[in-house]
Amino acid sequence: MNDIIKRKIILDCDPGHDDAIAILLAAGNPSIDLLAITTVGGNAGVTHTTRNALQVCEVANIPHVPVYRGCSDPLVRKGETAAEIHGESGMEGPVLPEPTRSAEKEHAVDYIVRTLLASEGDITLVAVGPLTNIAMAMRKDAAILPKIKEIVIMGGGTFGNWTPAAEFNIYVDAEAAKVVFDSGVPIVMMGLDLTHQASATGEVAEQIAQIDTPAGRLVNDLLIFFRKTYQDMFDIADPPVHDVCCIAYCIDPTVVECKHYRVDIETKGELTYGMTLVDRHNVTGLAPNVQFAYKLDHSKFWGLVKDALAAL
Ligand code: RIB
Ligand code: CA
């Protein structure tokens, strides 16, 4: 059998309904080598997001994938959570048993620094929550920068979902996002322009409801809750599973189309704090720093997700 070249990733996340599905896709696809999961405060407090990550690992049956607890609060401002979307626990809806293991003792930031420094420069950071851990790691030891193969980020966009200007992950810690976007490390940005195409339509939900595996059943329960909150909060009928796009890209980059744009982060604006300024016409004349994903192959995307859920 031909040896699949696995892509090594560290998944930094704030589970989170869509984060949970991203973990399951990473666990269920043979071309991903999920080195570790690191958690951050975002959708819920970091105690919740860490417990949620551990619970999803149990369903995915990946006891060999360590979970490292990360930063509880943003670099500068007070943290915000998204209980309106994900519930108080960050992953309301499914009823899951207590995790049988705990997070590792080492802090997520220390794990990220240690692992990148020891690597061959072949690790991708996938960041699908606020960028606090990634920024802290960069500030703790800049020697990691040339060691990062790529950073695939769910965040930002040309419109907002937490304010009219800002998307949640960037808004929670825009200072951290500025550190990351200014780092010079290759960035692939899955903003709302892309992730809103990853909608769990009724047809997709029905297909997933037929997947009789622990992962299929979990995603079915996640989508039931997520669908209701997206309808109530945004009047969006089919919930977009934002974070999953980042893992799908790591599996098959052709699942999205990208353009090389300059993107800067607003950290001073009273009304625009957390905005990602996507310079589509290069009016700034500044060097592009981001591969900006703008088109998703919806059927290829959901095909990857369904195959992974059936495999777990
Ligand atoms: O704005 C969507 C993002 O915020 C997703 O990562 C979701 O999980 C929340 O963290
Ligand atoms: Ca997330």
Side-chain angles (χ1 to χ4, degrees), residues 75 125 127-132 134-136 138-139 145 148 151-158 167 169-171 173-193 246 259-267 274-279 286-293:
L75 300 185
L125 297 182
V128 297
L131 290 165
T132 316
I134 312 301
M136 286 286 281
M138 290 180 171
R139 283 291 190 259
L145 297 182
I148 304 171
I151 306 180
V152 186
I153 292 171
M154 191 283 132
T158 61
E167 176 277 328
N169 287 340
I170 307 297
Y171 180 81
D173 199 342
E175 284 79 8
K178 181 169 177 54
V179 168
V180 176
F181 277 70
D182 288 355
S183 68
V185 173
I187 292 174
V188 178
M189 174 180 167
M190 308 278 170
L192 296 177
D193 307 76
C246 295
K259 287 183 178 171
H260 203 193
Y261 286 150
R262 174 74 192 195
V263 177
D264 286 291
I265 312 295
E266 174 60 75
T267 59
M275 180 178 181
T276 51
L277 288 98
V278 182
D279 187 359
L286 296 173
N289 57 339
V290 160
Q291 287 297 338
F292 179 85

Side-chain angles (χ1 to χ4, degrees), residues 40-100:
V40 67
N43 285 320
V46 71
T47 300
H48 281 306
T49 59
T50 304
R51 178 175 177 272
N52 295 340
L54 287 163
Q55 286 184 309
V56 177
C57 286
E58 307 260 333
V59 174
N61 191 24
I62 47 173
H64 57 287
V65 177
V67 174
Y68 293 86
R69 178 187 168 119
C71 295
S72 56
D73 294 292
L75 300 185
V76 176
R77 288 170 41 132
K78 189 174 170 318
E80 288 207 26
T81 59
E84 305 89 322
I85 309 294
H86 298 276
E88 283 308 317
S89 73
M91 205 166 73
E92 296 297 342
V95 178
L96 295 171
E98 280 302 308
T100 58

Side-chain angles (χ1 to χ4, degrees), residues 194-206:
L194 189 280
T195 66
H196 272 209
Q197 299 172 50
S199 45
T201 61
E203 183 187 4
V204 163
E206 277 167 27

Side-chain angles (χ1 to χ4, degrees), residues 14 16-19 42-43 86 128-130 154 161 167-169 192 230 242-243:
D14 62 333
H17 292 67
D18 51 330
D19 307 69
N43 285 320
H86 298 276
V128 297
M154 191 283 132
N161 64 1
E167 176 277 328
F168 178 78
N169 287 340
L192 296 177
Y230 253 79
H242 309 275
D243 299 341

